Amino acid sequence: MTDKPTIKDWQELADKEVKGRDLTWETPEGIAVKPLYTAEDASEKGIDPGLPGFGPFTRGVKASMYAGRPWTIRQYAGFSTAEESNAFYRRNLAAGQKGLSVAFDLATHRGYDSDHPRVVGDVGKAGVAIDSVEDMKILFDQIPLDEMSVSMTMNGAVIPCLAFYIIAAEEQGVSQEKLSGTIQNDILKEFMVRNTYIYPPAPSMRIISDIIGYTSEHMPKFNSISISGYHMHEAGATAVQELAFTIADGREYAKQAMATGLDIDAFAGRLSFFFGIGMNFFMEVAKLRAARTLWHRVMTDLGAKSERSKMLRTHCQTSGVSLTEQDPYNNVIRTTIEAMAATLGGTQSLHTNALDEAIALPTDFSARIARNTQIVLQEEAGITKVVDPLGGSYYVEALTDELVQNAWEIIERVGAEGGMAKAVADGWPKAMIEEAAAGRQAAVDKGDAVIVGVNKYRLPEEDAMETLDIDNAKVRQGQIARLEKMRADRDEAACQAALKALTDGAKGGGNVLALAVDAARQRASLGEISDAMEAVFGRYETQPTPVKGIYGKAYEGDARYAMVIEGVDAVSQRLGRKPKILVAKMGQDGHDRGANVVSSAFTDMGFDVISGPLFQTPGETRDLALAENVDAVGASSLAAGHKTLIPELINLLKEAGRSDIKVFAGGVIPAKDYEFLRKSGVVGIYGPGSNIVECAADILRLLGHNMPPEEEAAE
């Protein structure tokens, strides 16, 4: 009888096949992934994931998981007006969607009514415009709120939006105790990555406590917070960083609620989570299993007695940042892989991104494919037949354990240094994420990380794709008309009294959600409710400080990178100073990954980079460009305001006699808008997937340097 082969035997055979090449892969998390895992990898560490439905819930929060009930198909959507979004929701529900997830426009997120001068380019563009109860009633028209679970991605203007939802339900005949769903209400991650905040950290944390307190008393079926790692993922966080900071945020919120006198077991069962799912399939599966393990540990440490309090329940969304503008039908494949990772990892609900979301809001066509991806997984793939089908995989169990250990180290650091609120204020989590994002971008630009259709297997020519376009001016006019009518019809004295009570409550110890519900009932607008609190809390502002040295380090020894640096030196000698670029974020979009990566990379290449403040108007950007005497402005756009904001900036520079300042655009810009922007005076457009080194080379040419194109330089 032949002896059983050993690990040593396998190693020798593998070495022979690959001629001694090391097959170990180091992930962006710094985890060394071996080419083979065996039972020893689990047994040596004493790994025991337990059983589904039992703590630490590594294998799932329910004993039966999808065999008993599949995950909820909850597509995130909202655009234009409440009428348009309502019609879209009803079509999707009729086609098999099971829950609603509302995307609000940026004006709403930032607490501005549609008639505010700062949001001219933002109304209805990246979500639905909600100015009052009247809009919210239309949004949910013919959708029974006692039967439909509703998720709302809202953090900054969380108080008025939740108040409008409560009153819309009330006037539909649905009492608060029957409402089910989730409000995101996760402000710490806004200060870290997404930036759609309104108030400073301290009053923002008070708002969260008030919401948890109110919903615990009046809305027992409603999740008071969705602690979001998704936006960290999108900002460039590694799986370890996303895990650690999300769980640490959750711990901070729980401690904040307990500090107000709430019993942990009275509210913890209504805390939920939200994770992004990227393309490293097994890492994402392991991430969700590790998250449940870590949360069980955290809640046990905080004194929770109920096992329900220790369950981490999560919604997931496939990655937006993995979607590509180039060869976009590949995005269907990417979303499918990510959806499988989410479901095999044990999510409770899922949103699948549409193939065109790298460049625009989804069309009905692309939204149908995205939704059907989930339906096919539920109905055809057999995934729902077995509880935790990847449980017991040597690789998955070992990877889960490694993620738990690595994330726990960061969580312990957060605790040792005073908690997550202090860590956010100190800025080191944001810096860690930005370093990871810059490193990832450098790896893509160099071709070390392959993206099919972008930096490898690229099509020689791209077919045009039909995308959804929103007439921003028309939407805004309609919203303003509805606002004016509501203000004319309401009992003004009663409304102002309710708003004054809200301001007084913000000054004292009143529950601001309860007071906002009263104000919403009297037809106070979103901007008025936000202003009533801003009078006490103030409005928070911050200045981007991109990281340095990460991009340059990744490109050490690269000939093309060296050529760009030489070009920068040549321009500097001609000008008598470094070429100066302002990276501008206009409008109310706070997603700053792209802007920060560009700022970091250009700084490393020798440019003098001014990182403009978030949320600028075109006028404020012009003033900064003139004050700093820049050579060029790079306008970063991710929220579809480019056709309004960038031409206005160019005109303002012309009026100031500085048409010599070059304006280029980057970010999520559909190809069909390129010609419009060029005619408006934009000299360069760099969409998703653009190589930053080549962008820099292009800008050097725009500044008059004889920089050879990439193909000539390679000859």
Side-chain angles (χ1 to χ4, degrees):
M1 187 173 179
T2 307
D3 290 339
K4 185 179 177 183
T6 65
I7 294 292
K8 186 172 180 293
D9 294 329
W10 169 83
Q11 187 68 64
E12 288 174 354
L13 183 58
D15 285 346
K16 185 178 177 182
E17 289 173 358
V18 300
K19 297 180 173 59
R21 179 163 51 91
D22 186 3
L23 296 178
T24 302
W25 169 48
E26 184 159 318
T27 74
E29 292 76 15
I31 293 171
V33 175
K34 302 187 299 182
L36 179 70
Y37 287 79
T38 69
E40 290 180 12
D41 291 286
S43 62
E44 283 177 1
K45 294 183 177 180
I47 295 172
D48 179 10
L51 291 169
F54 296 90
F57 304 110
T58 307
R59 302 193 65 187
V61 294
K62 298 287 186 182
S64 59
M65 286 301 291
Y66 307 144
R69 179 187 171 198
W71 66 91
T72 299
I73 300 171
R74 189 187 301 279
Q75 292 297 89
Y76 177 60
F79 58 93
S80 183
T81 62
E83 291 92 342
E84 290 273 0
S85 292
N86 172 262
F88 186 74
Y89 292 162
R90 287 193 282 117
R91 290 198 299 273
N92 286 358
L93 291 169
Q97 187 173 311
K98 300 300 183 185
L100 292 180
S101 181
V102 181
F104 297 94
D105 75 356
L106 290 165
T108 305
H109 273 288
R110 294 269 293 147
Y112 295 117
D113 287 334
S114 295
D115 58 0
H116 197 285
R118 297 195 76 85
V119 299
V120 172
D122 294 304
V123 177
K125 289 295 279 187
V128 60
I130 299 292
D131 290 316
S132 71
V133 166
E134 299 302 325
D135 290 331
M136 195 71 84
K137 286 173 70 175
I138 294 167
L139 188 67
F140 295 119
D141 182 43
Q142 300 179 61
I143 297 172
L145 292 178
D146 54 344
E147 299 173 16
M148 183 58 60
S149 170
V150 175
S151 172
M152 291 180 281
T153 300
M154 177 52 65
N155 301 283
V158 62
I159 289 292
C161 284
L162 190 49
F164 294 161
Y165 170 68
I166 289 167
I167 299 300
E170 180 182 288
E171 295 184 7
Q172 202 184 83
V174 179
S175 58
Q176 295 181 43
E177 68 267 15
K178 293 179 181 176
L179 296 174
S180 65
T182 303
I183 189 81
Q184 191 162 99
N185 194 27
D186 175 6
I187 204 64
L188 285 174
K189 70 94 179 43
E190 296 293 334
F191 293 118
M192 261 194 289
V193 290
R194 189 166 175 253
N195 301 310
T196 47
Y197 42 67
I198 300 175
Y199 314 111
S204 295
M205 293 295 286
R206 184 264 181 94
I207 285 170
I208 287 169
S209 295
D210 282 4
I211 290 171
I212 291 173
Y214 184 96
T215 54
S216 295
E217 184 177 352
H218 301 288
M219 302 165 71
K221 295 168 64 179
F222 198 82
N223 299 326
S224 54
I225 191 166
S226 174
I227 303 140
S228 174
Y230 178 83
H231 300 100
M232 301 179 205
H233 170 95
E234 293 293 277
T238 66
V240 169
Q241 292 167 353
E242 182 186 357
L243 264 178
F245 295 136
T246 305
I247 297 297
D249 279 351
R251 180 171 67 178
E252 189 86 359
Y253 296 135
K255 290 171 76 171
Q256 179 83 7
M258 291 165 70
T260 66
L262 287 172
D263 177 72
I264 189 169
D265 287 313
F267 68 82
R270 298 263 55 104
L271 304 178
S272 66
F273 287 79
F274 176 26
F275 288 100
I277 305 296
M279 283 296 289
N280 187 351
F281 182 85
F282 291 102
M283 184 70 76
E284 299 300 331
V285 171
K287 183 174 76 181
L288 296 184
R289 301 171 96 251
R292 292 191 291 270
T293 308
L294 287 164
W295 188 241
H296 187 273
R297 184 184 297 180
V298 164
M299 296 307 284
T300 301
D301 289 350
L302 288 177
K305 299 293 189 291
S306 167
E307 284 298 291
R308 186 169 176 272
S309 299
K310 303 175 187 180
M311 290 179 184
L312 180 143
R313 293 161 302 110
T314 190
H315 173 71
C316 288
Q317 180 171 340
T318 60
S319 175
V321 77
S322 72
L323 302 176
T324 65
E325 177 186 26
Q326 298 82 4
D327 210 355
Y329 289 99
N330 288 338
N331 293 334
V332 176
I333 305 160
R334 293 185 179 102
T335 294
T336 303
I337 290 167
E338 292 166 351
M340 287 181 67
T343 56
L344 292 171
T347 189
Q348 276 64 64
S349 64
L350 179 62
H351 166 94
T352 34
N353 287 330
L355 66 96
D356 48 1
E357 284 188 76
I359 50 174
L361 289 167
T363 61
D364 275 11
F365 170 78
S366 67
R368 178 174 172 271
I369 293 171
R371 181 179 61 253
N372 283 353
T373 300
Q374 295 196 55
I375 295 173
V376 169
L377 288 179
Q378 284 190 354
E379 303 288 348
E380 297 184 32
I383 286 174
T384 61
K385 306 300 184 186
V386 176
V387 178
D388 190 27
L390 289 184
S393 158
Y394 306 136
Y395 176 34
V396 169
E397 300 296 0
L399 194 54
T400 300
D401 184 70
E402 191 135 15
L403 285 174
V404 167
Q405 303 311 321
N406 290 359
W408 189 249
E409 285 180 16
I410 297 176
I411 293 167
E412 286 194 310
R413 177 187 171 187
V414 170
E417 295 185 14
M420 202 60 200
K422 186 175 183 303
V424 168
D426 291 342
W428 64 266
K430 183 176 180 67
M432 281 181 70
I433 292 170
E434 287 185 8
E435 286 175 10
R440 168 68 180 174
Q441 185 63 48
V444 171
D445 286 351
K446 286 179 69 182
D448 295 340
V450 173
I451 301 182
V452 174
V454 176
N455 63 2
K456 200 172 183 181
Y457 313 111
R458 186 149 184 180
L459 288 172
E461 212 172 292
E462 297 274 351
D463 292 331
M465 175 178 280
E466 183 184 343
T467 54
L468 182 66
D469 196 18
I470 305 296
D471 186 341
N472 162 240
K474 184 180 177 182
V475 174
R476 188 166 182 262
Q477 287 165 6
Q479 290 299 118
I480 291 171
R482 188 179 289 150
L483 268 170
E484 289 173 347
K485 184 178 186 307
M486 183 192 72
R487 287 169 180 154
D489 292 347
R490 71 190 181 187
D491 183 332
E492 191 62 27
C495 182
Q496 293 304 320
L499 288 168
K500 184 179 182 303
L502 175 57
T503 299
D504 292 344
K507 287 177 187 172
N511 186 294
V512 290
L513 177 55
L515 293 162
V517 168
D518 293 339
R521 193 176 283 113
Q522 300 301 330
R523 273 19 188 203
S525 72
L526 176 127
E528 290 168 332
I529 292 172
S530 297
D531 288 349
M533 293 185 289
E534 188 180 333
V536 179
F537 298 153
R539 185 172 278 265
Y540 186 73
E541 294 180 0
T542 187
Q543 182 75 30
T545 52
V547 297
K548 297 178 182 178
I550 304 298
Y551 201 89
K553 186 178 178 182
Y555 262 94
E556 276 180 351
D558 183 86
R560 184 62 170 168
Y561 187 80
M563 194 178 289
V564 169
I565 289 176
E566 287 170 10
V568 174
D569 287 342
V571 172
S572 300
Q573 288 176 23
R574 177 163 55 82
L575 297 175
R577 57 170 174 77
K578 292 181 177 181
K580 187 181 277 192
I581 292 176
L582 167 62
V583 177
K585 284 289 295 181
M586 295 183 290
Q588 296 304 304
D589 174 43
H591 293 87
D592 58 357
R593 173 180 178 160
N596 288 340
V597 167
V598 167
S599 296
S600 296
F602 271 56
T603 299
D604 286 358
M605 285 183 273
F607 289 84
D608 185 0
V609 179
I610 309 297
S611 290
L614 298 174
F615 315 122
Q616 285 195 311
T617 63
E620 289 165 343
T621 299
R622 175 222 35 213
D623 293 346
L624 184 57
L626 296 178
E628 293 287 348
N629 193 29
V630 301
D631 301 297
V633 177
S636 173
S637 175
L638 277 87
H642 51 271
K643 290 174 73 175
T644 303
L645 301 170
I646 298 176
E648 186 179 340
L649 170 65
I650 291 169
N651 287 333
L652 289 170
L653 288 169
K654 282 179 183 173
E655 289 171 6
R658 292 302 308 273
S659 54
D660 60 301
I661 295 176
K662 309 282 194 290
V663 177
F664 58 94
V668 179
I669 300 173
K672 68 179 183 182
D673 293 346
Y674 283 16
E675 189 60 27
F676 172 87
L677 291 175
R678 289 188 182 111
K679 285 180 177 176
S680 301
V682 175
V683 295
I685 305 168
Y686 310 103
S690 297
N691 184 297
I692 294 182
V693 174
E694 292 310 315
C695 294
D698 198 38
I699 287 160
L700 286 173
R701 284 189 287 271
L702 292 171
L703 296 176
H705 180 65
N706 187 25
M707 186 78 195
E710 184 180 14
E711 56 273 15
E712 290 181 22
E715 291 176 357

